[in-house]
Amino acid sequence: MANDVGARAGTVARRARRAMFWRMVARSVTRRRSRVLIAVLAVGIGATTLFALASIAIDIPRQMTREMRAYGANLLVMPQDGDSAVPVAALAGIDHLLEAAEVVGRAPYRYETLRLNQAPYLTAGTDLGAVRKVSPYWYVEGDWPGGPGEVLIGQDIAEWADLGAGDQIELVAGALGGPAASADAGLGGQAGSDGGDQPQDVIEEEATGLFAVAGVLTTGGTEDELILMALGDLENLAGGAGEYDVVEYSVAADSAQIEELAGRISAQVQGVAAAPVKRLTESDDYVLSMLRSLLALIAVIVLVLTMIGVSTTMMAVVAERQGEIALRKALGANVREVEREFLSEGLALGAVGGILGTGLGYLLAQVISLNVFHRSVGMTWWLAVVSVAVSTLVAWVAALVPVRRAAEVDPATVLRGE
Amino acid sequence: MTEPRDLLELAEVSKVYGDLRALDEVSLSVPRGQWLSIVGPSGSGKTTLMNIVGAMDRASSGSVLLDGVELSGMSPKELAQIRRDTVGLIFQKFHLIGHLTALENVMVAQYYHSMPDEPEALAALDRVGLRERAAHLPSQLSGGEQQRVCIARALINYPALILADEPTGNLDAANEQIVLDIFRTLHSEGATLIVVTHDPDVAAEGQREVALDHGRMVREVFHVHP
Ligand SMILES: Nc1ncnc2c1ncn2[C@@H]1O[C@H](COP(=O)(O)OP(=O)(O)OP(=O)(O)O)[C@@H](O)[C@H]1O
Ligand SMILES: [Mg+2]
């Protein structure tokens, strides 16, 4: 009986003590705002930087890999040796062969050399809507062409010709020395075969078209030296219709399946040759892993700096409360109790700083990502949890040494005054 | 345990700082329920004595028996236990925790002693006339009010011994009287009080007055109160 009552009283006492413990921690955190703010800032800035870096390091490569897998041409169909263009009739045959596979997109290309200010530039006519769909990671400064008469120009051309989005350009087709034009035209010379096929056209009339530059395209690849326009615009300017130099397919399949499909198309469809295109190349992989190690290195440096900053702050915070610690000891607190209280405060500050810092870090990652990578970054939830946990741990570790030292204070100093 | 023992028995207690003997072979017994005043010039060892009696510091030599327990040779943890169980402390500079309310400051002493009990803490504040100011922070209280919170905190665990070092040193005459009134009540209820003071009037409130000089007891006076 008496034992039972004693046990119940013990439980009540423990509960009351725990409530008071957290009440003291909460008061210290909420009523000492300016001090707390500094400590939270020290943790928060670290958490912001680390979470932003880690978000970018994890999410951007993931997005890019996913996009490179899902999008981008992975099957090229070209005219067979000697033929000038992919026969339109062949397309139906290819579609038939691809029926079983999932075709994400298809973009036909026709290449012509057009002149801009007397200088020749390779120009591609294509289905711009389809290109945009399979290449969402292309960066266009300005807009994608919205209709006929609008073109995209490659970044290098924009530089050479000093052009930008919104400028008007005059493009000239034909009436150039035929052989030169054919030699010039890219992609294995198929585009230039116009000239070889119809020698009498070499002295044809010049055709001139006025176009608006909708945007400047940067891909880091050969597209930077290309003018891109709607197929219809190119056909109007250069004449001819339904003559494709290349048709790009984006098929949801792995490289072995693509290889096999390409072989079947080449063998079974008249007048065309198909070839697989590797999407995520090893060099891309290498760049991504380099980017990751670089960010990891920066993260470690930031972590160390945060650690130093937080422990310095904690030292100041604890030093300021030396008198309070001595008083608590004079009231009967022992070293362990004082340590527990102040370390719990450190934990609370770390958690608050971690949560705020992680939130801000997400915003920072978003800003960096939009400005540098031209894409938005997703919220990686497990990383947010890790970020808050690490911040809390960092604050705890940083508080450990100063609190241990402060807890050793002599209670006799209280009566001696300050 | 049949014969009633003195609450505090000091025998040849010294405290040495380097060459300085802050306390020099002090022997002193304080019976239960006594109100003892300690006076003496600055640096005479009054605070040093209070620290040793209050289990906050250890004597260099000699024996300190508090409530029948020998303090010399105790570990810091055991001393902390004595402080929380046996001693109530009142300071000249109040020493309230700035971010806790009056009520919470009192509850801190309960917390280290046994368990926080808000109604009981409120009652203690009521005793010193501060029930209405329970939710105020120390910065929102006058010096006299802060000292009364400090007293409520010292009393909350019914300590066997109440130690006050210059409790009225920072107070005006009116607040000094309020504090002395509280002491009188405590004394009439049987509390044992040791009060260090520079003020002869405050010293005269006690039943017994001991003067220190250079760490030695130099004079002892008994006051008779009507
Ligand atoms: N930690 C210490 N180290 C060295 N000397 C000390 C220490 N604490 C106190 N003293 C010295 O011991 C002597 C007694 O000090 P104590 O504080 O007990 O005096 P006091 O009587 O309380 O004086 P006051 O009236 O000014 O408060 C003083 O000379 C003081 O300088
Ligand atoms: Mg003193």
Side-chain angles (χ1 to χ4, degrees):
Chain A
M1 250 331 254
N3 251 351
D4 196 35
V5 171
R8 201 170 313 138
T11 310
V12 170
R14 258 198 308 282
R15 210 169 284 157
R17 280 175 58 84
R18 199 176 311 134
M20 184 65 190
F21 176 86
W22 288 112
R23 184 168 174 179
M24 290 191 295
V25 170
R27 291 294 186 258
S28 175
V29 171
T30 54
R31 292 215 185 106
R32 297 167 53 255
R33 294 231 186 89
S34 56
R35 300 283 173 251
V36 164
L37 195 71
I38 292 169
V40 165
L41 259 177
V43 181
I45 289 172
T48 304
T49 323
L50 287 173
F51 185 73
L53 282 179
S55 287
I56 290 170
I58 288 171
D59 200 50
I60 297 291
R62 188 168 62 193
Q63 282 189 26
M64 287 167 83
T65 311
R66 187 168 59 220
E67 283 163 4
M68 286 179 194
R69 293 231 170 86
Y71 302 114
N74 55 356
L75 185 68
L76 284 187
V77 172
M78 291 162 291
Q80 218 154 32
D81 295 335
D83 282 349
S84 63
V86 175
V88 179
L91 293 181
I94 296 169
D95 284 347
H96 182 71
L97 278 175
L98 290 177
E99 235 163 31
E102 187 195 336
V103 178
V104 178
R106 180 178 79 175
Y109 281 86
R110 172 175 170 188
Y111 291 95
E112 292 294 336
T113 302
L114 301 183
R115 275 169 295 143
L116 167 63
N117 302 334
Q118 304 304 320
Y121 292 106
L122 190 61
T123 304
T126 184
D127 176 349
L128 288 168
V131 169
R132 185 175 189 176
K133 198 172 129 205
V134 299
S135 314
Y137 49 89
W138 280 12
Y139 178 54
V140 173
E141 203 178 312
D143 287 314
W144 281 79
E150 294 188 349
V151 298
L152 280 180
I153 61 172
Q155 151 80 25
D156 291 345
I157 299 177
E159 226 162 82
W160 294 329
D162 190 24
L163 291 170
D167 287 341
Q168 294 286 332
I169 54 172
E170 206 181 58
L171 293 172
V172 183
L176 192 75
S182 22
D184 222 38
L187 285 165
Q190 280 96 347
S193 49
D194 272 1
D197 243 16
Q198 299 151 294
Q200 70 272 30
D201 280 359
V202 169
I203 336 164
E204 77 189 298
E205 282 286 299
E206 280 189 356
T208 301
L210 202 58
F211 294 90
V213 177
V216 175
L217 173 68
T218 310
T219 68
T222 51
E223 291 87 356
D224 289 3
E225 295 179 33
L226 203 64
I227 298 174
L228 269 170
M229 61 170 68
L231 192 59
D233 279 347
L234 189 62
E235 285 173 343
N236 284 342
L237 191 63
E243 300 169 7
Y244 307 139
D245 292 311
V246 180
V247 182
E248 290 185 359
Y249 286 87
S250 178
V251 183
D254 64 28
S255 49
Q257 290 170 297
I258 294 291
E259 195 93 36
E260 198 251 306
L261 273 174
R264 291 233 310 266
I265 292 171
S266 300
Q268 295 178 22
V269 182
Q270 275 290 316
V272 300
V277 178
K278 284 217 170 65
R279 272 170 177 166
L280 183 63
T281 63
E282 272 158 23
S283 77
D284 287 334
D285 251 350
Y286 179 70
V287 167
L288 289 181
S289 80
M290 283 298 284
L291 178 73
R292 272 192 173 147
S293 345
L294 187 66
L295 289 178
L297 184 70
I298 297 174
V300 168
I301 293 171
V302 171
L303 192 65
V304 169
L305 289 179
T306 304
M307 207 71 162
I308 293 171
V310 173
S311 67
T312 312
T313 310
M314 283 298 178
M315 233 169 253
V317 166
V318 171
E320 185 187 69
R321 298 175 70 187
Q322 197 79 60
E324 181 193 329
I325 294 174
L327 170 78
R328 286 178 183 273
K329 291 187 77 174
L331 292 178
N334 57 42
V335 176
R336 288 275 305 276
E337 285 170 311
V338 170
E339 282 178 3
R340 211 155 58 90
E341 278 162 40
F342 282 75
L343 287 177
S344 297
E345 267 192 54
L347 282 181
L349 295 182
V352 172
I355 290 168
L356 292 180
T358 301
L360 282 177
Y362 177 63
L363 293 183
L364 181 65
Q366 203 63 273
V367 169
I368 292 176
S369 189
L370 285 173
N371 282 293
V372 178
F373 300 102
H374 311 295
R375 59 179 63 232
S376 72
V377 69
M379 183 64 161
T380 313
W381 285 106
W382 66 263
L383 186 65
V385 172
V386 168
S387 170
V388 173
V390 167
S391 307
T392 312
L393 187 72
V394 163
W396 185 78
V397 170
L400 207 55
V401 172
V403 166
R404 284 261 157 91
R405 197 177 306 158
E408 293 299 334
V409 69
D410 188 354
T413 57
V414 193
L415 278 186
R416 302 244 176 251
E418 38 272 15
Chain B
M1 277 285 155
T2 43
E3 96 193 74
R5 203 170 195 170
D6 285 342
L7 178 65
L8 177 68
E9 291 175 53
L10 301 183
E12 296 177 353
V13 169
S14 296
K15 180 73 187 183
V16 183
Y17 294 112
D19 290 343
L20 179 81
R21 299 187 78 80
L23 281 182
D24 196 356
E25 311 231 310
V26 173
S27 296
L28 175 72
S29 287
V30 183
R32 288 178 199 277
Q34 188 168 70
W35 179 342
L36 171 67
S37 301
I38 294 181
V39 297
S42 185
S44 57
K46 306 183 295 291
T47 297
T48 305
L49 181 65
M50 295 296 256
N51 272 330
I52 288 171
V53 167
M56 285 172 282
D57 206 350
R58 274 177 290 195
S60 306
S61 64
S63 140
V64 182
L65 265 182
L66 177 59
D67 210 2
V69 180
E70 176 60 58
L71 299 191
S72 52
M74 272 191 170
S75 72
K77 199 171 173 185
E78 290 168 321
L79 287 175
Q81 188 70 38
I82 297 291
R83 292 197 292 273
R84 68 174 76 177
D85 289 345
T86 317
V87 182
L89 288 169
I90 299 166
F91 313 94
Q92 176 173 4
K93 288 176 181 158
F94 323 135
H95 289 298
L96 298 175
I97 296 173
H99 56 268
L100 298 182
T101 62
L103 179 71
E104 287 160 348
N105 266 284
V106 175
M107 289 169 70
V108 167
Q110 292 179 316
Y111 170 77
Y112 290 122
H113 177 263
S114 48
M115 61 174 271
D117 180 343
E118 197 164 322
E120 203 185 332
L122 268 175
L125 283 175
D126 197 27
R127 267 193 93 177
V128 296
L130 283 179
R131 195 186 188 102
E132 309 304 313
R133 327 279 330 240
H136 287 62
L137 292 172
S139 58
Q140 299 164 328
L141 298 173
S142 75
E145 287 166 338
Q146 289 183 52
Q147 189 59 298
R148 278 142 71 195
V149 175
C150 185
I151 293 171
R153 180 178 65 189
L155 301 181
I156 191 71
N157 299 318
Y158 304 99
L161 179 61
I162 296 168
L163 299 178
D165 195 348
E166 296 278 2
T168 58
N170 277 358
L171 301 182
D172 62 9
N175 277 299
E176 179 176 307
Q177 277 314 311
I178 295 175
V179 168
L180 287 177
D181 275 338
I182 297 171
F183 283 2
R184 280 185 209 108
T185 313
L186 287 171
H187 177 58
S188 70
E189 289 168 3
T192 311
L193 284 161
I194 301 183
V195 180
V196 168
T197 180
H198 272 118
D199 185 334
D201 295 338
V202 174
E205 292 283 338
Q207 298 165 287
R208 177 186 179 197
E209 181 177 330
V210 165
L212 289 182
D213 198 8
H214 290 96
R216 290 173 172 273
M217 268 179 65
V218 292
R219 187 166 45 88
E220 187 171 11
V221 181
F222 286 86
H223 300 283
V224 182
H225 299 286

